[in-house]
Amino acid sequence: MIIDLPPGLLLLGAGLLAPLVPVRMRAAFLLLAPAAEFVQLLSLAPGMTLRSEVFGFALEWVRVDRLSLAFGYIFAIAALLNVIFAWHLRSRLEPSAAMVYAGAAMAAVFAGDLLTLFLYWELTAVAAVLVIWARGSERAFRAGFRYIVVQLASGMLLAAGAALRYAETGSLAFGAIGLDQAGGVLLLLAFGVKCAFPFLHNWLQDAYPEATVTGTVVLSAFTTKLGIYALARSFPGTEMLIWIGTAMAAFPIFYAVIENDLRRVLAYSMNNQLGFMVVGVGLGTEMSLNGTVAHAFADILFKGLLFMSMGAVLFRTGTVNGTNLGGLYKSMPWTAGFCIIGAASISAFPLFSGFVTKSLIMTATAADGRLLEWLILLFASAGVFHHAGIKIPYFAFFAHDAGIRCKEAPANMLIAMGLAAALCVGIGVFPGLFYSILPFAVAYEPYTASHVVAQLQLLVFSALAFAVLMRTGIYPQELRSVNLDFDWLYRRAAFCAVQRATTFTSGCIHRLGAILSHAAAWMLAQGERRTSAGQFMADGGSTRGMALWVMVMLVSYLVLYYI
């Protein structure tokens, strides 16, 4: 039995109390919460549980194992880095919502049953949309509204899947589920929304870039990684996930290349990296699951570092459009350096985190004899170097000089970026220490001559291809607009369909009203003619006739109103 608070509640409590803390003390107060949470996690050991019975349901509020601990560690680190990066904020809403968001995500990864998972699952959605709305713009409001609709739909799928699962098995245990029964299918869809599966992914590119400078950094850490955790817990070895993940890794490359908003480029890059993790879950071997957890851990750090660098650029220049930037290394050299470290990490350069995490998944894919999938992932690895490893730092800091001269990022932002960069390098240089926190024992050495040489060859040829395409003018130009992929169906097609349906319905109501009005006028005229001729309701018939026609008019009005 765990005597202390369940993991995540410290963060939740700090987030709820933060608005009551004076502005000058708020950041320090919030910083204590993830630090204390990390210390608490170090005191936990696999096998610890916290159970109770509520309304006849056996709930496991806390379940500690190596899988949940690995995600707990990185969530605590991400929460701490986010507080430092947002130290300058004076808002009451965003820091509080961000901490509640982190706490709900952490509590979810320690949930041992589907009902407890559902409660924290929905809380992450509510807190995240508040982070998006904190920007206060019309675009942020619309994107946040679409985000909450999608995330609540995920929650409804989770609730329905849990209910079916309970009816099928009599248990709400959050463990290996599979697709043998209908409940498992609904749960896979619920987790797939959080993981941004193909056709279920557009909420990510839609909402994340519309958040504040600091809000996007927060959003990049928790929602999708919670989905990956849920997949790893419930569906390891599910064959279809291999192809779903392969598609996720490949298709965002084409959209990221033409995207002008550099934070949207990183959002597409997030889809790419999630694809590798989903493939690892689908393979289901110890090495591939270790690779999934390791890459999720590293992705939170290097993707957070890249989002922080672009957030610093947005904070100082007011834009992150690639066509408006360039030459910023002169004004923001530290930010440029940290961005390059993040770019090297996501591109899997040797001595950086991505090299020792992604290679686990690639090696597991090859070991399983899946040559085609391995080749597609290899192509995706080269593609991410193009759009995240080269495009982000090149267009922001080293392309044509846009003439922007600004201050370097604030000290708190540089500290947060420096810590994230140090962790990216530390994981790459000391992989053995990092591997020790993974769910299964690791017997793998990433720094072999063949692996290092092969990876360097891939990166060199990818860089040469980028240089040739740029020099020849073949490289696709960034589109100065919002690029739509599958979200065209609901942002354009569905919108037009609703407009046409509304116009058609209004026309029908108008025509029906005209018909009823003409009918009532004709009947009234007939009544008056007969009354005047003495043929209708003699001896008080006029009063009764008037009451009848008033009733007809009222019924007609009510019919029109409720239609």
Side-chain angles (χ1 to χ4, degrees):
M1 181 70 69
I2 298 175
I3 300 175
D4 297 328
L5 287 174
L9 291 194
L10 281 174
L11 302 182
L12 285 170
L16 294 174
L17 293 175
L20 305 178
V21 178
V23 174
R24 293 183 178 180
M25 301 173 58
R26 190 177 300 145
F29 172 76
L30 288 173
L31 188 66
L32 290 175
E37 190 72 73
F38 192 82
V39 172
Q40 182 194 22
L41 293 177
L42 293 176
S43 69
L44 301 180
M48 291 182 169
T49 61
L50 177 61
R51 298 187 177 96
S52 66
E53 187 171 320
V54 179
F55 300 118
F57 295 105
L59 302 183
E60 191 173 11
W61 299 97
V62 177
R63 174 194 43 210
V64 181
D65 59 14
R66 293 178 65 86
L67 178 62
S68 58
L69 280 173
F71 278 89
Y73 293 148
I74 188 54
F75 282 179
I77 293 171
L80 188 142
L81 292 175
N82 290 331
V83 172
I84 297 173
F85 188 73
W87 192 276
H88 61 283
L89 286 183
R90 294 297 177 262
S91 166
R92 291 180 183 272
L93 174 62
E94 185 180 336
S96 176
M99 192 57 68
V100 171
Y101 178 35
M106 178 174 291
V109 301
F110 285 94
D113 65 87
L114 293 172
L115 182 56
T116 304
L117 175 69
F118 169 76
L119 296 176
Y120 293 123
W121 195 269
E122 294 293 76
L123 185 55
T124 59
V126 174
V129 78
L130 293 178
V131 173
I132 297 168
W133 283 340
R135 189 169 187 178
S137 67
E138 179 66 19
R139 287 171 60 92
F141 174 78
R142 292 180 179 274
F145 181 77
R146 291 189 291 266
Y147 176 92
I148 193 65
V149 168
V150 172
Q151 296 303 319
L152 291 181
S154 171
M156 287 189 290
L157 288 170
L158 174 56
L164 279 176
R165 182 75 178 165
Y166 185 77
E168 293 161 353
T169 65
S171 171
L172 289 173
F174 179 30
I177 294 174
L179 298 176
D180 296 335
Q181 297 171 311
V185 175
L186 291 180
L187 290 172
L188 180 65
L189 287 174
F191 301 159
V193 172
K194 274 279 198 280
C195 292
F197 278 5
F199 308 125
L200 305 174
H201 68 281
N202 294 111
W203 57 267
L204 199 160
Q205 289 80 25
D206 183 22
Y208 282 18
E210 299 302 333
T212 64
V213 166
T214 54
T216 303
V217 180
V218 176
L219 294 168
S220 69
F222 301 110
T223 297
T224 54
K225 305 313 178 296
L226 175 57
I228 291 295
Y229 166 82
L231 278 185
R233 173 71 68 187
S234 302
F235 296 99
T238 302
E239 181 81 11
M240 71 168 61
L241 292 178
I242 299 174
W243 280 107
I244 291 174
T246 304
M248 289 175 67
F251 88 86
I253 295 170
F254 305 101
Y255 290 99
V257 166
I258 63 173
E259 182 57 57
N260 192 29
D261 185 325
L262 297 183
R263 293 204 297 179
R264 283 177 64 86
V265 173
L266 290 175
Y268 275 114
S269 176
M270 184 175 292
N271 277 117
N272 168 272
Q273 298 302 302
L274 291 167
F276 285 89
M277 302 172 208
V278 173
V279 169
V281 174
L283 291 171
T285 64
E286 290 189 358
M287 176 178 283
S288 69
L289 290 174
N290 276 339
T292 292
V293 176
H295 203 52
F297 194 109
D299 184 75
I300 289 175
L301 294 173
F302 59 63
K303 194 62 62 59
L305 178 55
L306 289 168
F307 271 118
M308 282 191 276
S309 63
M310 291 302 100
V313 168
L314 178 61
F315 182 75
R316 286 306 192 197
T317 68
T319 182
V320 284
N321 289 338
T323 52
N324 299 334
L325 297 173
L328 280 180
Y329 74 94
K330 301 173 183 177
S331 301
M332 307 178 73
W334 284 100
T335 302
F338 292 137
C339 180
I340 291 172
I341 292 176
S345 298
I346 196 173
S347 303
F349 268 88
L351 302 180
F352 293 91
S353 56
F355 180 80
V356 302
T357 59
K358 189 184 294 184
S359 61
L360 285 168
I361 300 172
M362 296 292 291
T363 301
T365 305
D368 203 49
R370 298 182 178 273
L371 177 60
L372 179 59
E373 293 90 333
W374 183 85
L375 289 173
I376 295 174
L377 293 180
L378 192 67
F379 164 77
S381 297
V384 75
F385 181 45
H386 263 263
H387 69 256
I390 298 178
K391 179 175 180 174
I392 294 291
Y394 176 75
F395 282 100
F397 299 103
F398 301 104
H400 66 282
D401 193 338
I404 299 175
R405 297 296 178 263
C406 59
K407 294 181 180 179
E408 178 59 275
N412 62 292
M413 290 185 174
L414 293 176
I415 292 172
M417 286 188 281
L419 291 173
L423 289 170
C424 288
V425 175
I427 291 172
V429 175
F430 303 106
L433 183 63
F434 173 64
Y435 286 163
S436 65
I437 68 170
L438 298 180
F440 306 101
V442 179
Y444 174 73
E445 174 53 55
Y447 288 105
T448 61
S450 60
H451 182 213
V452 171
V453 170
Q455 184 64 15
L456 288 176
Q457 286 177 333
L458 176 69
L459 295 171
V460 168
F461 282 115
S462 183
L464 286 174
F466 179 84
V468 170
L469 291 174
M470 289 295 295
R471 292 285 294 178
T472 57
I474 301 176
Y475 193 84
Q477 295 296 314
E478 287 68 32
L479 300 182
R480 298 170 184 260
S481 61
V482 176
N483 301 320
L484 303 180
D485 52 269
F486 186 74
D487 53 340
W488 179 87
L489 291 177
Y490 63 83
R491 295 183 68 175
R492 291 288 178 82
F495 181 74
C496 291
V498 169
Q499 278 190 322
R500 292 182 180 181
T502 302
T503 302
F504 176 76
T505 304
S506 299
C508 291
I509 292 174
H510 179 72
R511 292 187 182 91
L512 180 60
I515 292 171
L516 290 175
S517 297
H518 286 304
W522 181 83
M523 294 177 68
L524 184 60
Q526 291 296 316
E528 290 177 349
R529 182 177 61 80
R530 293 180 182 180
T531 300
S532 61
Q535 299 174 357
F536 183 69
M537 291 187 178
D539 299 327
S542 297
T543 303
R544 291 191 295 272
M546 182 63 70
L548 175 63
W549 298 122
V550 168
M551 182 184 70
V552 170
M553 296 297 293
L554 285 174
V555 170
S556 300
Y557 173 78
L558 289 173
V559 170
L560 289 173
Y561 179 80
Y562 284 106
I563 288 178

